[in-house]
Amino acid sequence: MLNEKNIYVKKFIPGNLNQWKLYKNNSSSVWIAGDNLDKKYNYLIKKISSYKKINKDLLRTLVQNIDDHFGLVYVTKNWVFAAVDCIRSYPIFWKKSKNTYVFSAQAKNIVNKSMDLIDDSQLIAFRMSGYTIDEGTLWKGVKNLNAGNFIFIDEKNNCFIENYFTYTPWK
């Protein structure tokens, strides 16, 4: 989507994974993966349309109330929200380059193979353990959402990455 005020583009590329379903209405696109997709979509649309001002705290509360496995990318002309469940059942990768935010279910879909370099520190971690560390990936600039986290980009192009779920078995 193009926001004339801030001139930034936001989009989601599902790749060749058939687990993502697109819902569109007049002002937004919602990509959801998981079970009970229609129920989740109706819940989100009903709640979000009842508020005049959308912010990260409201969206955090909404996503905390989803008690199922999911991946979610909600794109409007003014803001973007993406979240993964508490075990990251449906990973979401993202990249910001210049004035563009791109999200995908597969990192290979947002990597520019001729320009993006391998992140050497993540490569070492991957070779030693089979995993990358924190939100990093093998490519510099390409990040992933960790389990129980969300990203919110507002109309001023402010980017917030926060967790909405923390595993605390001792409470």
Side-chain angles (χ1 to χ4, degrees):
M1 300 271 177
L2 185 64
N3 182 333
E4 295 299 329
K5 234 189 287 182
N6 298 320
I7 313 296
Y8 63 98
V9 178
K10 315 164 274 202
K11 66 180 178 178
F12 177 73
I13 304 167
N16 58 1
L17 300 175
N18 295 330
Q19 59 207 33
W20 291 85
K21 183 174 180 183
L22 172 63
Y23 295 87
K24 286 186 143 217
N25 65 22
N26 54 356
S27 62
S28 63
S29 298
V30 183
W31 288 92
I32 304 176
D35 297 326
N36 305 314
L37 298 180
D38 293 334
K39 179 180 172 187
K40 288 176 194 156
Y41 172 73
N42 291 331
Y43 163 77
L44 289 169
I45 290 299
K46 181 180 176 185
K47 292 293 188 179
I48 288 173
S49 62
S50 67
Y51 292 94
K52 291 183 184 200
K53 180 82 170 132
I54 302 298
N55 61 43
K56 65 182 173 72
D57 298 322
L58 167 68
L59 293 169
R60 174 190 291 117
T61 302
L62 293 178
V63 79
Q64 283 173 332
N65 291 325
I66 300 174
D67 62 351
D68 206 352
H69 297 297
F70 68 92
L72 164 70
V73 180
Y74 201 119
V75 180
T76 72
K77 67 179 183 175
N78 295 321
W79 53 268
V80 176
F81 177 75
V84 293
D85 62 16
C86 62
I87 62 170
R88 202 171 149 242
S89 303
Y90 302 93
I92 297 175
F93 298 90
W94 65 278
K95 177 181 176 181
K96 179 185 180 197
S97 57
K98 297 183 184 173
N99 295 326
T100 305
Y101 284 95
V102 181
F103 297 84
S104 182
Q106 297 172 296
K108 68 180 183 175
N109 294 328
I110 57 177
V111 172
N112 183 339
K113 291 182 174 64
S114 64
M115 296 184 63
D116 289 328
L117 302 174
I118 298 293
D119 185 333
D120 291 330
S121 62
Q122 294 290 353
L123 181 61
I124 291 169
F126 182 76
R127 285 179 173 164
M128 293 177 72
S129 67
Y131 298 95
T132 57
I133 298 171
D134 199 21
E135 64 182 14
T137 65
L138 290 174
W139 295 279
K140 287 183 180 176
V142 177
K143 302 198 181 310
N144 76 78
L145 281 179
N146 288 330
N149 282 8
F150 70 86
I151 182 170
F152 177 70
I153 303 163
D154 67 13
E155 66 274 355
K156 295 176 184 167
N157 216 9
N158 297 317
C159 180
F160 303 93
I161 302 170
E162 297 180 12
N163 69 325
Y164 69 89
F165 174 84
T166 303
Y167 179 65
T168 53
W170 52 87
K171 287 186 178 180

